[in-house]
Amino acid sequence: MKTRWLKVTVACLLFGGSFASLGAASKRPEQFDVNKYQSKIQNEKRLNAMGIREIDPNTPRTLENYVGDADGFLEILFERHPMFHYEREGRLVGQYRISDRMEEFVEMNSGPKFAKKKGLERAAITYRLGMESILDYPNKFVGPDKCGECHPAQYEQWERSRHAKSVRFPEQMLEVDGDLKRPLYGSSASILPLGIQEDDIYAVIGTPRTKYGFIDRWLVRGTYHVQDGNLSDLSGKMVAGGNQFSRVWAQHITPETAKKIAEFSPGFPTKMEDFGRSQSTVWGTNSYGANYAKSMAFQPASSYCEVCHSFKFDFKSRQEFFDAIGDKDMLREHTISRGISCEECHGAGAHLYGARGAGMPSNCERCHQRFAFHEDEAEPNPRKPFNAYFKSSCPSCGTEGAQMYSSLHYDKGMRCTTCHDPHEVTANDWRDEYTLVGLKQTCQDCHPTQTEFFAEMGGAHSKDNCTGCHMPVMMSCENFAAVQNPDKGGFDNVRTSHIWKIDVSKDRKSINPPAGKDRDPMNVKGWRFDRDENGRFFVDLMWSCGRTTWADPNLVKPGASGCHSPIQSTLPKDLHFTDQAMIYEKVMEWQTPVKNGYEEIKKGLKEVNKAIANNVSLDVDKKSQAIFLAKEANEVKKKLEKDGGWGIHGPQYSKKIVDEALVYLEQAKNILGIK
């Protein structure tokens, strides 16, 4: 297996570029030991009579094997990709770094540090490849349509989900009638950026809920655009960034809305130049995987895209695949599977190749359990020394499982499929900008006491549900620091958190920068979830009540109130929460009388129970009445404890049963003669 040091050297020799310029862009190649990562894959060299690689089924395929698999592909790209043509001619604006499988699967988020600590050769902390990738030939993939022949019900649910739409060809983009250059949502931004045409790409990545990116016809992630020309004829200049359509920015964070946000979130960008590294040439098209006009990742799809936005080919050999690189028609013709389809979880070919049952060689956690390792995480919770992966100052998409991993729910045995139907991940229309999922169980199925309190809520909250507060949309699919501010609960958030525990605090925050760093989302990296006294993540009050997001059904679906967002709420002005302290004061109005009443109940029960035990001369009738009344009061006490909301789940109902318990105790005291 070639190291990145060798890859960079090859690139320089091929294109006559200076080692200094490429080396600087490729992340410290001089620090890599050439011998350390030499390939141990003996079976990679075995070819049959047809020139097809044979895999020895008795040889385990390790992380190192996966990393080494990509080397030949990178060499093809160094020869053919237009980025290097633009570079040779001095028409490349911005430096690139080679982002390969070594970086993504071995080095990211302190993988080497964790591996050394645990005595492992290497560790994939954040990303995990599926059982087979686009570089594996021959493969046994049959495609979802073949699975649907015998599993029509599951196929129908899957086919209408966003999983099935995460990778599409231009003609399949129904939301724009196949026109990828048409501006969307009243903006000037289109799915494909400046200088990139339909013939330049293999497929579009993304759906109307969040964003659109592209994989070019060389199967490299599009981290660039072209100014004063087109990629098709290699004219103009290739510029880093300006590459990805953002629905939140294009449709909702208009210049007018940006000014409103800036009123309570100081520093929020209101002009294009304020967006810093995320800016571009068009409002609504940001720079992702790139810093505008400065730097970008040269990232083959095998190193990143296919991990979660999967696709597979039916080429017979790796050479056939390599021959098609750069030919969009050939690549599309041989695409047998697009999106997160049946075989991503059930394995290539599943039971069609003779196995008894489909099996589950992979599951949700492959894409939805992205971790980050920090050595100091072991101190608050030695059992769970991992945080969730952050791209900027908000947790990344795909970290639902990493969040849940540190929850009490996980420790009690809950997993993704406890609640989710994995085939119906989108129960509503996939064109909506929010998601309603097919659920097998809801919060109410396991939390009847809280459900009882909430049923008695009354008012605006009675229209909401548990997830509205306990599972706020917190995650971002983009490294879009310019529009992220976790202290204000916004504003580029498109995925539901899986933490559940709300921390009622005036100032304690769910998300914090590294110790000693400013709370500046634009310029400070390394943010992570804080932990409570039990070492678990928590949701702060700003995220729970005052967040601003356009992908949360509790805020944006028809009939929703917009909760307490300063931008979206339809409630009275005094209920638009611009900071956490405002929310805390409102919560205290509910909790204080309930908590005080609870303490009175505890004190009264102690007095009554003591009097019952000590008053041996009390007649049976009076004693039984006192015991009954104390028991009723104790049931209220236990119900309040089991609910745990102290008035939040139903303030009037909570206060009502507290008052009832105090009446029971007062009557018991009268019977017992307690003053």
Side-chain angles (χ1 to χ4, degrees), residues 2 6-19 22 71-81 84-85 87-88 96 298:
K2 297 178 178 63
L6 290 175
K7 292 169 192 169
V8 172
T9 304
V10 169
C12 291
L13 292 173
L14 286 170
F15 307 116
S18 70
F19 183 84
L22 256 180
D71 282 6
F73 185 31
L74 271 166
E75 291 173 8
I76 295 292
L77 294 176
F78 288 153
E79 293 173 6
R80 302 181 192 174
H81 199 276
F84 306 110
H85 175 87
E87 182 187 38
R88 285 198 305 271
Y96 58 84
F298 180 78

Side-chain angles (χ1 to χ4, degrees), residues 544-576:
S544 180
C545 306
R547 66 190 177 277
T548 297
T549 171
W550 287 271
D552 192 328
N554 299 286
L555 273 69
V556 300
K557 75 177 181 181
S561 66
C563 293
H564 299 278
S565 163
I567 298 299
Q568 297 165 297
S569 181
T570 59
L571 301 173
K573 192 74 173 177
D574 64 330
L575 294 177
H576 296 187

Side-chain angles (χ1 to χ4, degrees), residues 483-601:
V483 295
Q484 293 178 13
N485 189 336
D487 285 352
K488 299 297 183 181
F491 301 90
D492 169 41
N493 313 99
V494 294
R495 296 221 181 173
T496 302
S497 62
H498 286 63
I499 299 172
W500 297 289
K501 177 67 181 297
I502 298 173
D503 182 75
V504 178
S505 170
K506 189 174 186 177
D507 50 23
R508 193 157 67 158
K509 295 292 187 178
S510 300
I511 300 171
N512 290 294
K517 297 289 186 180
D518 293 335
R519 306 188 71 86
D520 180 357
M522 180 81 90
N523 298 308
V524 175
K525 287 202 167 191
W527 292 65
R528 60 173 111 165
F529 280 114
D530 198 2
R531 297 178 187 265
D532 64 15
E533 60 279 1
N534 297 312
R536 303 187 189 283
F537 304 153
F538 59 85
V539 177
D540 67 40
L541 289 176
M542 193 67 201
W543 279 111
S544 180
C545 306
R547 66 190 177 277
T548 297
T549 171
W550 287 271
D552 192 328
N554 299 286
L555 273 69
V556 300
K557 75 177 181 181
S561 66
C563 293
H564 299 278
S565 163
I567 298 299
Q568 297 165 297
S569 181
T570 59
L571 301 173
K573 192 74 173 177
D574 64 330
L575 294 177
H576 296 187
F577 297 145
T578 57
D579 63 67
Q580 193 163 314
M582 296 173 64
I583 305 170
Y584 180 78
E585 296 304 323
K586 290 291 182 182
V587 171
M588 287 299 99
E589 290 178 13
W590 288 354
Q591 286 194 331
T592 300
V594 174
K595 286 186 173 181
N596 290 343
Y598 171 77
E599 292 300 324
E600 289 186 54
I601 294 170

